[in-house]
mmCIF file of all heavy atoms in Angstrom:
data_model
loop_
_atom_site.group_PDB
_atom_site.id
_atom_site.type_symbol
_atom_site.label_atom_id
_atom_site.label_comp_id
_atom_site.label_asym_id
_atom_site.label_seq_id
_atom_site.Cartn_x
_atom_site.Cartn_y
_atom_site.Cartn_z
ATOM 1 N N GLU A 24 -8.015 -28.916 -14.215
ATOM 2 C CA GLU A 24 -9.463 -28.715 -14.265
ATOM 3 C C GLU A 24 -10.225 -29.821 -13.546
ATOM 4 O O GLU A 24 -11.378 -29.623 -13.146
ATOM 5 C CB GLU A 24 -9.932 -28.641 -15.723
ATOM 6 C CG GLU A 24 -9.467 -27.391 -16.458
ATOM 7 C CD GLU A 24 -9.909 -27.372 -17.913
ATOM 8 O OE1 GLU A 24 -10.383 -28.425 -18.403
ATOM 9 O OE2 GLU A 24 -9.767 -26.315 -18.558
ATOM 10 N N TYR A 25 -9.587 -30.973 -13.362
ATOM 11 C CA TYR A 25 -10.281 -32.138 -12.800
ATOM 12 C C TYR A 25 -10.445 -32.043 -11.286
ATOM 13 O O TYR A 25 -11.467 -32.451 -10.731
ATOM 14 C CB TYR A 25 -9.517 -33.406 -13.168
ATOM 15 C CG TYR A 25 -10.236 -34.681 -12.769
ATOM 16 C CD1 TYR A 25 -11.305 -35.157 -13.516
ATOM 17 C CD2 TYR A 25 -9.843 -35.409 -11.635
ATOM 18 C CE1 TYR A 25 -11.972 -36.320 -13.156
ATOM 19 C CE2 TYR A 25 -10.505 -36.566 -11.265
ATOM 20 C CZ TYR A 25 -11.567 -37.018 -12.042
ATOM 21 O OH TYR A 25 -12.228 -38.160 -11.674
ATOM 22 N N PHE A 26 -9.423 -31.494 -10.610
ATOM 23 C CA PHE A 26 -9.433 -31.491 -9.144
ATOM 24 C C PHE A 26 -9.808 -30.117 -8.589
ATOM 25 O O PHE A 26 -9.425 -29.091 -9.152
ATOM 26 C CB PHE A 26 -8.054 -31.884 -8.602
ATOM 27 C CG PHE A 26 -7.664 -33.301 -8.884
ATOM 28 C CD1 PHE A 26 -6.747 -33.593 -9.879
ATOM 29 C CD2 PHE A 26 -8.225 -34.347 -8.167
ATOM 30 C CE1 PHE A 26 -6.385 -34.906 -10.159
ATOM 31 C CE2 PHE A 26 -7.870 -35.665 -8.436
ATOM 32 C CZ PHE A 26 -6.961 -35.943 -9.433
ATOM 33 N N PRO A 27 -10.530 -30.097 -7.468
ATOM 34 C CA PRO A 27 -10.790 -28.810 -6.810
ATOM 35 C C PRO A 27 -9.474 -28.214 -6.316
ATOM 36 O O PRO A 27 -8.547 -28.931 -5.932
ATOM 37 C CB PRO A 27 -11.701 -29.184 -5.643
ATOM 38 C CG PRO A 27 -11.466 -30.647 -5.412
ATOM 39 C CD PRO A 27 -11.134 -31.232 -6.752
ATOM 40 N N LYS A 28 -9.396 -26.888 -6.319
ATOM 41 C CA LYS A 28 -8.144 -26.212 -5.998
ATOM 42 C C LYS A 28 -7.627 -26.554 -4.600
ATOM 43 O O LYS A 28 -6.416 -26.627 -4.377
ATOM 44 C CB LYS A 28 -8.323 -24.703 -6.138
ATOM 45 C CG LYS A 28 -8.498 -24.252 -7.581
ATOM 46 C CD LYS A 28 -8.599 -22.745 -7.671
ATOM 47 C CE LYS A 28 -8.731 -22.301 -9.127
ATOM 48 N NZ LYS A 28 -8.841 -20.821 -9.255
ATOM 49 N N GLU A 29 -8.540 -26.771 -3.656
ATOM 50 C CA GLU A 29 -8.106 -27.049 -2.289
ATOM 51 C C GLU A 29 -7.457 -28.432 -2.145
ATOM 52 O O GLU A 29 -6.782 -28.709 -1.158
ATOM 53 C CB GLU A 29 -9.280 -26.927 -1.314
ATOM 54 C CG GLU A 29 -10.426 -27.892 -1.564
ATOM 55 C CD GLU A 29 -11.465 -27.351 -2.535
ATOM 56 O OE1 GLU A 29 -11.170 -26.368 -3.244
ATOM 57 O OE2 GLU A 29 -12.566 -27.923 -2.573
ATOM 58 N N ARG A 30 -7.668 -29.286 -3.133
ATOM 59 C CA ARG A 30 -7.082 -30.632 -3.071
ATOM 60 C C ARG A 30 -5.764 -30.711 -3.832
ATOM 61 O O ARG A 30 -5.029 -31.693 -3.704
ATOM 62 C CB ARG A 30 -8.071 -31.656 -3.649
ATOM 63 C CG ARG A 30 -7.690 -33.106 -3.394
ATOM 64 C CD ARG A 30 -8.667 -34.086 -4.036
ATOM 65 N NE ARG A 30 -8.251 -35.458 -3.764
ATOM 66 C CZ ARG A 30 -8.804 -36.531 -4.320
ATOM 67 N NH1 ARG A 30 -9.819 -36.400 -5.155
ATOM 68 N NH2 ARG A 30 -8.357 -37.742 -4.025
ATOM 69 N N LEU A 31 -5.432 -29.699 -4.595
ATOM 70 C CA LEU A 31 -4.343 -29.764 -5.565
ATOM 71 C C LEU A 31 -3.239 -28.748 -5.293
ATOM 72 O O LEU A 31 -3.504 -27.585 -5.012
ATOM 73 C CB LEU A 31 -4.926 -29.510 -6.964
ATOM 74 C CG LEU A 31 -3.950 -29.400 -8.135
ATOM 75 C CD1 LEU A 31 -3.330 -30.758 -8.446
ATOM 76 C CD2 LEU A 31 -4.689 -28.865 -9.368
ATOM 77 N N LEU A 32 -1.996 -29.226 -5.398
ATOM 78 C CA LEU A 32 -0.829 -28.343 -5.380
ATOM 79 C C LEU A 32 -0.100 -28.481 -6.710
ATOM 80 O O LEU A 32 0.312 -29.572 -7.087
ATOM 81 C CB LEU A 32 0.132 -28.711 -4.250
ATOM 82 C CG LEU A 32 1.485 -27.965 -4.264
ATOM 83 C CD1 LEU A 32 1.287 -26.486 -3.970
ATOM 84 C CD2 LEU A 32 2.475 -28.590 -3.279
ATOM 85 N N VAL A 33 0.026 -27.379 -7.443
ATOM 86 C CA VAL A 33 0.877 -27.346 -8.633
ATOM 87 C C VAL A 33 2.277 -26.989 -8.151
ATOM 88 O O VAL A 33 2.498 -25.923 -7.576
ATOM 89 C CB VAL A 33 0.361 -26.315 -9.654
ATOM 90 C CG1 VAL A 33 1.268 -26.292 -10.872
ATOM 91 C CG2 VAL A 33 -1.077 -26.641 -10.056
ATOM 92 N N PHE A 34 3.217 -27.902 -8.384
ATOM 93 C CA PHE A 34 4.501 -27.834 -7.685
ATOM 94 C C PHE A 34 5.680 -27.938 -8.630
ATOM 95 O O PHE A 34 5.790 -28.879 -9.428
ATOM 96 C CB PHE A 34 4.557 -28.970 -6.659
ATOM 97 C CG PHE A 34 5.800 -29.004 -5.819
ATOM 98 C CD1 PHE A 34 6.191 -27.918 -5.065
ATOM 99 C CD2 PHE A 34 6.579 -30.156 -5.759
ATOM 100 C CE1 PHE A 34 7.339 -27.955 -4.286
ATOM 101 C CE2 PHE A 34 7.717 -30.219 -4.973
ATOM 102 C CZ PHE A 34 8.102 -29.107 -4.236
ATOM 103 N N ASP A 35 6.561 -26.958 -8.539
ATOM 104 C CA ASP A 35 7.852 -26.995 -9.224
ATOM 105 C C ASP A 35 8.887 -27.382 -8.171
ATOM 106 O O ASP A 35 9.052 -26.675 -7.170
ATOM 107 C CB ASP A 35 8.173 -25.614 -9.812
ATOM 108 C CG ASP A 35 9.455 -25.603 -10.637
ATOM 109 O OD1 ASP A 35 10.346 -26.444 -10.384
ATOM 110 O OD2 ASP A 35 9.580 -24.746 -11.525
ATOM 111 N N VAL A 36 9.582 -28.492 -8.384
ATOM 112 C CA VAL A 36 10.507 -28.979 -7.355
ATOM 113 C C VAL A 36 11.623 -27.969 -7.066
ATOM 114 O O VAL A 36 12.242 -28.023 -5.997
ATOM 115 C CB VAL A 36 11.118 -30.347 -7.746
ATOM 116 C CG1 VAL A 36 10.054 -31.426 -7.769
ATOM 117 C CG2 VAL A 36 11.853 -30.274 -9.084
ATOM 118 N N LYS A 37 11.872 -27.047 -7.994
ATOM 119 C CA LYS A 37 12.890 -26.024 -7.754
ATOM 120 C C LYS A 37 12.493 -25.082 -6.616
ATOM 121 O O LYS A 37 13.343 -24.404 -6.041
ATOM 122 C CB LYS A 37 13.143 -25.217 -9.025
ATOM 123 C CG LYS A 37 13.822 -26.002 -10.135
ATOM 124 C CD LYS A 37 14.045 -25.110 -11.354
ATOM 125 C CE LYS A 37 14.727 -25.886 -12.476
ATOM 126 N NZ LYS A 37 14.927 -25.038 -13.687
ATOM 127 N N SER A 38 11.205 -25.052 -6.290
ATOM 128 C CA SER A 38 10.743 -24.163 -5.217
ATOM 129 C C SER A 38 11.020 -24.727 -3.834
ATOM 130 O O SER A 38 10.844 -24.033 -2.828
ATOM 131 C CB SER A 38 9.251 -23.875 -5.384
ATOM 132 O OG SER A 38 8.484 -25.062 -5.295
ATOM 133 N N GLY A 39 11.449 -25.992 -3.762
ATOM 134 C CA GLY A 39 11.897 -26.562 -2.499
ATOM 135 C C GLY A 39 10.799 -26.965 -1.536
ATOM 136 O O GLY A 39 9.653 -27.202 -1.920
ATOM 137 N N TRP A 40 11.176 -27.011 -0.261
ATOM 138 C CA TRP A 40 10.308 -27.578 0.769
ATOM 139 C C TRP A 40 9.069 -26.746 1.090
ATOM 140 O O TRP A 40 8.011 -27.307 1.383
ATOM 141 C CB TRP A 40 11.096 -27.743 2.069
ATOM 142 C CG TRP A 40 12.114 -28.817 2.113
ATOM 143 C CD1 TRP A 40 13.475 -28.667 2.263
ATOM 144 C CD2 TRP A 40 11.895 -30.235 2.043
ATOM 145 N NE1 TRP A 40 14.096 -29.882 2.277
ATOM 146 C CE2 TRP A 40 13.153 -30.866 2.154
ATOM 147 C CE3 TRP A 40 10.746 -31.021 1.891
ATOM 148 C CZ2 TRP A 40 13.301 -32.249 2.120
ATOM 149 C CZ3 TRP A 40 10.880 -32.398 1.854
ATOM 150 C CH2 TRP A 40 12.149 -33.007 1.967
ATOM 151 N N GLU A 41 9.189 -25.426 1.103
ATOM 152 C CA GLU A 41 8.157 -24.581 1.714
ATOM 153 C C GLU A 41 6.750 -24.793 1.172
ATOM 154 O O GLU A 41 5.821 -25.081 1.943
ATOM 155 C CB GLU A 41 8.558 -23.098 1.622
ATOM 156 C CG GLU A 41 9.596 -22.669 2.640
ATOM 157 C CD GLU A 41 10.999 -23.174 2.312
ATOM 158 O OE1 GLU A 41 11.204 -23.648 1.167
ATOM 159 O OE2 GLU A 41 11.888 -23.105 3.182
ATOM 160 N N PRO A 42 6.531 -24.671 -0.157
ATOM 161 C CA PRO A 42 5.154 -24.854 -0.639
ATOM 162 C C PRO A 42 4.635 -26.269 -0.428
ATOM 163 O O PRO A 42 3.446 -26.466 -0.148
ATOM 164 C CB PRO A 42 5.244 -24.503 -2.126
ATOM 165 C CG PRO A 42 6.689 -24.629 -2.472
ATOM 166 C CD PRO A 42 7.449 -24.290 -1.240
ATOM 167 N N LEU A 43 5.530 -27.248 -0.533
ATOM 168 C CA LEU A 43 5.128 -28.642 -0.337
ATOM 169 C C LEU A 43 4.712 -28.890 1.107
ATOM 170 O O LEU A 43 3.658 -29.490 1.373
ATOM 171 C CB LEU A 43 6.285 -29.569 -0.727
ATOM 172 C CG LEU A 43 6.033 -31.073 -0.609
ATOM 173 C CD1 LEU A 43 4.919 -31.508 -1.563
ATOM 174 C CD2 LEU A 43 7.320 -31.860 -0.911
ATOM 175 N N CYS A 44 5.524 -28.435 2.039
ATOM 176 C CA CYS A 44 5.234 -28.657 3.456
ATOM 177 C C CYS A 44 3.992 -27.891 3.904
ATOM 178 O O CYS A 44 3.204 -28.389 4.713
ATOM 179 C CB CYS A 44 6.438 -28.262 4.299
ATOM 180 S SG CYS A 44 7.880 -29.327 4.049
ATOM 181 N N LYS A 45 3.813 -26.697 3.367
ATOM 182 C CA LYS A 45 2.622 -25.915 3.702
ATOM 183 C C LYS A 45 1.367 -26.635 3.236
ATOM 184 O O LYS A 45 0.369 -26.722 3.964
ATOM 185 C CB LYS A 45 2.710 -24.533 3.056
ATOM 186 C CG LYS A 45 1.529 -23.634 3.374
ATOM 187 C CD LYS A 45 1.694 -22.264 2.730
ATOM 188 C CE LYS A 45 0.494 -21.375 3.048
ATOM 189 N NZ LYS A 45 0.638 -20.027 2.413
ATOM 190 N N PHE A 46 1.411 -27.167 2.021
ATOM 191 C CA PHE A 46 0.264 -27.880 1.460
ATOM 192 C C PHE A 46 -0.060 -29.137 2.254
ATOM 193 O O PHE A 46 -1.229 -29.468 2.484
ATOM 194 C CB PHE A 46 0.563 -28.234 0.000
ATOM 195 C CG PHE A 46 -0.527 -29.001 -0.694
ATOM 196 C CD1 PHE A 46 -1.757 -28.406 -0.954
ATOM 197 C CD2 PHE A 46 -0.319 -30.313 -1.099
ATOM 198 C CE1 PHE A 46 -2.766 -29.116 -1.607
ATOM 199 C CE2 PHE A 46 -1.312 -31.028 -1.749
ATOM 200 C CZ PHE A 46 -2.540 -30.426 -2.009
ATOM 201 N N LEU A 47 0.981 -29.852 2.685
ATOM 202 C CA LEU A 47 0.798 -31.111 3.412
ATOM 203 C C LEU A 47 0.670 -30.907 4.921
ATOM 204 O O LEU A 47 0.449 -31.869 5.655
ATOM 205 C CB LEU A 47 1.961 -32.054 3.107
ATOM 206 C CG LEU A 47 2.091 -32.499 1.640
ATOM 207 C CD1 LEU A 47 3.354 -33.318 1.450
ATOM 208 C CD2 LEU A 47 0.864 -33.298 1.207
ATOM 209 N N ASN A 48 0.864 -29.655 5.339
ATOM 210 C CA ASN A 48 0.741 -29.313 6.764
ATOM 211 C C ASN A 48 1.722 -30.096 7.629
ATOM 212 O O ASN A 48 1.356 -30.712 8.636
ATOM 213 C CB ASN A 48 -0.697 -29.537 7.260
ATOM 214 C CG ASN A 48 -0.958 -28.861 8.595
ATOM 215 O OD1 ASN A 48 -0.345 -27.851 8.930
ATOM 216 N ND2 ASN A 48 -1.866 -29.432 9.379
ATOM 217 N N VAL A 49 2.982 -30.065 7.206
ATOM 218 C CA VAL A 49 4.047 -30.741 7.949
ATOM 219 C C VAL A 49 5.210 -29.772 8.125
ATOM 220 O O VAL A 49 5.355 -28.811 7.354
ATOM 221 C CB VAL A 49 4.530 -32.023 7.221
ATOM 222 C CG1 VAL A 49 3.421 -33.064 7.173
ATOM 223 C CG2 VAL A 49 5.034 -31.687 5.818
ATOM 224 N N PRO A 50 6.083 -29.998 9.124
ATOM 225 C CA PRO A 50 7.234 -29.109 9.343
ATOM 226 C C PRO A 50 8.227 -29.161 8.183
ATOM 227 O O PRO A 50 8.367 -30.192 7.517
ATOM 228 C CB PRO A 50 7.861 -29.658 10.631
ATOM 229 C CG PRO A 50 6.796 -30.468 11.279
ATOM 230 C CD PRO A 50 5.963 -31.029 10.177
ATOM 231 N N VAL A 51 8.919 -28.068 7.970
ATOM 232 C CA VAL A 51 9.952 -27.999 6.930
ATOM 233 C C VAL A 51 11.235 -28.633 7.458
ATOM 234 O O VAL A 51 11.745 -28.225 8.508
ATOM 235 C CB VAL A 51 10.232 -26.535 6.532
ATOM 236 C CG1 VAL A 51 11.367 -26.461 5.527
ATOM 237 C CG2 VAL A 51 8.967 -25.887 5.974
ATOM 238 N N PRO A 52 11.795 -29.627 6.778
ATOM 239 C CA PRO A 52 13.040 -30.261 7.228
ATOM 240 C C PRO A 52 14.228 -29.309 7.153
ATOM 241 O O PRO A 52 14.208 -28.319 6.411
ATOM 242 C CB PRO A 52 13.226 -31.423 6.241
ATOM 243 C CG PRO A 52 11.884 -31.629 5.616
ATOM 244 C CD PRO A 52 11.234 -30.281 5.589
ATOM 245 N N GLN A 53 15.257 -29.619 7.895
ATOM 246 C CA GLN A 53 16.490 -28.829 7.863
ATOM 247 C C GLN A 53 17.405 -29.284 6.731
ATOM 248 O O GLN A 53 18.361 -28.589 6.386
ATOM 249 C CB GLN A 53 17.214 -28.955 9.202
ATOM 250 C CG GLN A 53 16.426 -28.404 10.375
ATOM 251 C CD GLN A 53 16.094 -26.929 10.207
ATOM 252 O OE1 GLN A 53 16.965 -26.127 9.909
ATOM 253 N NE2 GLN A 53 14.824 -26.588 10.398
ATOM 254 N N THR A 54 17.129 -30.451 6.173
ATOM 255 C CA THR A 54 17.966 -30.996 5.103
ATOM 256 C C THR A 54 17.610 -30.369 3.753
ATOM 257 O O THR A 54 16.489 -29.901 3.562
ATOM 258 C CB THR A 54 17.781 -32.517 5.007
ATOM 259 O OG1 THR A 54 16.380 -32.796 4.856
ATOM 260 C CG2 THR A 54 18.297 -33.210 6.252
ATOM 261 N N PRO A 55 18.555 -30.368 2.800
ATOM 262 C CA PRO A 55 18.254 -29.836 1.469
ATOM 263 C C PRO A 55 17.172 -30.667 0.772
ATOM 264 O O PRO A 55 17.048 -31.871 1.005
ATOM 265 C CB PRO A 55 19.597 -29.965 0.730
ATOM 266 C CG PRO A 55 20.626 -30.070 1.805
ATOM 267 C CD PRO A 55 19.964 -30.781 2.940
ATOM 268 N N PHE A 56 16.409 -30.017 -0.085
ATOM 269 C CA PHE A 56 15.391 -30.722 -0.864
ATOM 270 C C PHE A 56 16.090 -31.694 -1.812
ATOM 271 O O PHE A 56 17.102 -31.348 -2.432
ATOM 272 C CB PHE A 56 14.545 -29.725 -1.655
ATOM 273 C CG PHE A 56 13.318 -30.333 -2.274
ATOM 274 C CD1 PHE A 56 12.137 -30.420 -1.565
ATOM 275 C CD2 PHE A 56 13.348 -30.829 -3.574
ATOM 276 C CE1 PHE A 56 10.993 -30.988 -2.121
ATOM 277 C CE2 PHE A 56 12.226 -31.397 -4.145
ATOM 278 C CZ PHE A 56 11.043 -31.473 -3.423
ATOM 279 N N PRO A 57 15.597 -32.923 -1.949
ATOM 280 C CA PRO A 57 16.267 -33.922 -2.799
ATOM 281 C C PRO A 57 16.383 -33.463 -4.251
ATOM 282 O O PRO A 57 15.435 -32.897 -4.804
ATOM 283 C CB PRO A 57 15.354 -35.146 -2.693
ATOM 284 C CG PRO A 57 14.575 -34.940 -1.443
ATOM 285 C CD PRO A 57 14.396 -33.470 -1.289
ATOM 286 N N LYS A 58 17.522 -33.719 -4.844
ATOM 287 C CA LYS A 58 17.744 -33.448 -6.258
ATOM 288 C C LYS A 58 18.436 -34.655 -6.853
ATOM 289 O O LYS A 58 19.638 -34.854 -6.685
ATOM 290 C CB LYS A 58 18.600 -32.191 -6.448
ATOM 291 C CG LYS A 58 18.762 -31.778 -7.904
ATOM 292 C CD LYS A 58 19.579 -30.505 -8.034
ATOM 293 C CE LYS A 58 19.731 -30.125 -9.504
ATOM 294 N NZ LYS A 58 20.538 -28.880 -9.664
ATOM 295 N N VAL A 59 17.647 -35.498 -7.529
ATOM 296 C CA VAL A 59 18.170 -36.789 -7.991
ATOM 297 C C VAL A 59 17.668 -37.093 -9.399
ATOM 298 O O VAL A 59 16.869 -36.358 -9.971
ATOM 299 C CB VAL A 59 17.735 -37.932 -7.049
ATOM 300 C CG1 VAL A 59 18.375 -37.798 -5.689
ATOM 301 C CG2 VAL A 59 16.203 -37.956 -6.909
ATOM 302 N N ASN A 60 18.153 -38.223 -9.923
ATOM 303 C CA ASN A 60 17.733 -38.761 -11.223
ATOM 304 C C ASN A 60 18.044 -37.796 -12.369
ATOM 305 O O ASN A 60 17.186 -37.494 -13.204
ATOM 306 C CB ASN A 60 16.240 -39.112 -11.225
ATOM 307 C CG ASN A 60 15.899 -40.163 -12.272
ATOM 308 O OD1 ASN A 60 16.759 -40.897 -12.730
ATOM 309 N ND2 ASN A 60 14.631 -40.232 -12.641
ATOM 310 N N SER A 61 19.284 -37.350 -12.406
ATOM 311 C CA SER A 61 19.737 -36.514 -13.512
ATOM 312 C C SER A 61 19.724 -37.333 -14.803
ATOM 313 O O SER A 61 19.540 -38.549 -14.792
ATOM 314 C CB SER A 61 21.151 -36.010 -13.249
ATOM 315 O OG SER A 61 22.068 -37.101 -13.280
ATOM 316 N N THR A 62 19.934 -36.662 -15.920
ATOM 317 C CA THR A 62 19.971 -37.349 -17.215
ATOM 318 C C THR A 62 21.012 -38.457 -17.217
ATOM 319 O O THR A 62 20.745 -39.586 -17.649
ATOM 320 C CB THR A 62 20.274 -36.340 -18.342
ATOM 321 O OG1 THR A 62 19.200 -35.399 -18.421
ATOM 322 C CG2 THR A 62 20.408 -37.050 -19.679
ATOM 323 N N ASN A 63 22.202 -38.174 -16.714
ATOM 324 C CA ASN A 63 23.263 -39.185 -16.704
ATOM 325 C C ASN A 63 22.899 -40.359 -15.795
ATOM 326 O O ASN A 63 23.176 -41.524 -16.128
ATOM 327 C CB ASN A 63 24.582 -38.564 -16.254
ATOM 328 C CG ASN A 63 25.189 -37.663 -17.319
ATOM 329 O OD1 ASN A 63 24.896 -37.806 -18.515
ATOM 330 N ND2 ASN A 63 26.030 -36.734 -16.914
ATOM 331 N N GLU A 64 22.288 -40.061 -14.654
ATOM 332 C CA GLU A 64 21.865 -41.134 -13.746
ATOM 333 C C GLU A 64 20.827 -42.018 -14.421
ATOM 334 O O GLU A 64 20.881 -43.253 -14.310
ATOM 335 C CB GLU A 64 21.287 -40.536 -12.461
ATOM 336 C CG GLU A 64 22.318 -39.923 -11.533
ATOM 337 C CD GLU A 64 21.679 -39.192 -10.366
ATOM 338 O OE1 GLU A 64 20.595 -38.601 -10.536
ATOM 339 O OE2 GLU A 64 22.265 -39.209 -9.267
ATOM 340 N N PHE A 65 19.888 -41.411 -15.114
ATOM 341 C CA PHE A 65 18.854 -42.168 -15.813
ATOM 342 C C PHE A 65 19.477 -43.088 -16.862
ATOM 343 O O PHE A 65 19.155 -44.285 -16.934
ATOM 344 C CB PHE A 65 17.857 -41.207 -16.480
ATOM 345 C CG PHE A 65 16.702 -41.896 -17.148
ATOM 346 C CD1 PHE A 65 15.472 -41.978 -16.521
ATOM 347 C CD2 PHE A 65 16.839 -42.472 -18.404
ATOM 348 C CE1 PHE A 65 14.392 -42.620 -17.135
ATOM 349 C CE2 PHE A 65 15.787 -43.119 -19.029
ATOM 350 C CZ PHE A 65 14.555 -43.183 -18.386
ATOM 351 N N ILE A 66 20.354 -42.530 -17.685
ATOM 352 C CA ILE A 66 20.984 -43.316 -18.754
ATOM 353 C C ILE A 66 21.779 -44.486 -18.172
ATOM 354 O O ILE A 66 21.694 -45.616 -18.670
ATOM 355 C CB ILE A 66 21.898 -42.421 -19.619
ATOM 356 C CG1 ILE A 66 21.022 -41.426 -20.408
ATOM 357 C CG2 ILE A 66 22.755 -43.255 -20.550
ATOM 358 C CD1 ILE A 66 21.809 -40.363 -21.142
ATOM 359 N N ASN A 67 22.528 -44.234 -17.126
ATOM 360 C CA ASN A 67 23.313 -45.300 -16.503
ATOM 361 C C ASN A 67 22.412 -46.388 -15.916
ATOM 362 O O ASN A 67 22.741 -47.581 -15.994
ATOM 363 C CB ASN A 67 24.216 -44.721 -15.410
ATOM 364 C CG ASN A 67 25.347 -43.882 -15.965
ATOM 365 O OD1 ASN A 67 25.774 -44.092 -17.111
ATOM 366 N ND2 ASN A 67 25.848 -42.949 -15.194
ATOM 367 N N ASN A 68 21.274 -45.991 -15.343
ATOM 368 C CA ASN A 68 20.339 -46.972 -14.802
ATOM 369 C C ASN A 68 19.754 -47.852 -15.902
ATOM 370 O O ASN A 68 19.594 -49.066 -15.730
ATOM 371 C CB ASN A 68 19.210 -46.268 -14.046
ATOM 372 C CG ASN A 68 19.661 -45.714 -12.713
ATOM 373 O OD1 ASN A 68 20.634 -46.187 -12.139
ATOM 374 N ND2 ASN A 68 18.960 -44.702 -12.222
ATOM 375 N N VAL A 69 19.432 -47.254 -17.036
ATOM 376 C CA VAL A 69 18.887 -48.031 -18.164
ATOM 377 C C VAL A 69 19.938 -49.000 -18.695
ATOM 378 O O VAL A 69 19.659 -50.173 -18.956
ATOM 379 C CB VAL A 69 18.411 -47.094 -19.290
ATOM 380 C CG1 VAL A 69 18.064 -47.903 -20.551
ATOM 381 C CG2 VAL A 69 17.197 -46.283 -18.844
#
C-alpha cells in the first residue's frame, strides 16, 4: 500500500529471471537463477 504500483515488483524467486528482468529493463541472463542459502547452509553459517 505504501508504494505506487509502477515502482514496485512483488516477486517470488521461484518465478526466475523473466519478471525481474522485465521490471528492471535488463536482458535475461543465460545462467540459471541463483538458488542459495538453504536451511542447512544457514545453520552451518551460524
Side-chain angles (χ1 to χ4, degrees):
E24 291 178 348
Y25 187 77
F26 293 104
K28 291 183 178 180
E29 61 271 16
R30 191 182 180 188
L31 174 70
L32 172 67
V33 179
F34 182 56
D35 184 334
V36 293
K37 291 181 180 179
S38 62
W40 288 116
E41 282 74 13
L43 181 63
C44 293
K45 181 179 179 180
F46 179 67
L47 297 175
N48 195 28
V49 295
V51 176
Q53 297 301 310
T54 54
F56 191 87
K58 185 178 180 180
V59 293
N60 204 21
S61 67
T62 296
N63 287 337
E64 287 173 326
F65 184 100
I66 292 172
N67 290 334
N68 286 336
V69 171

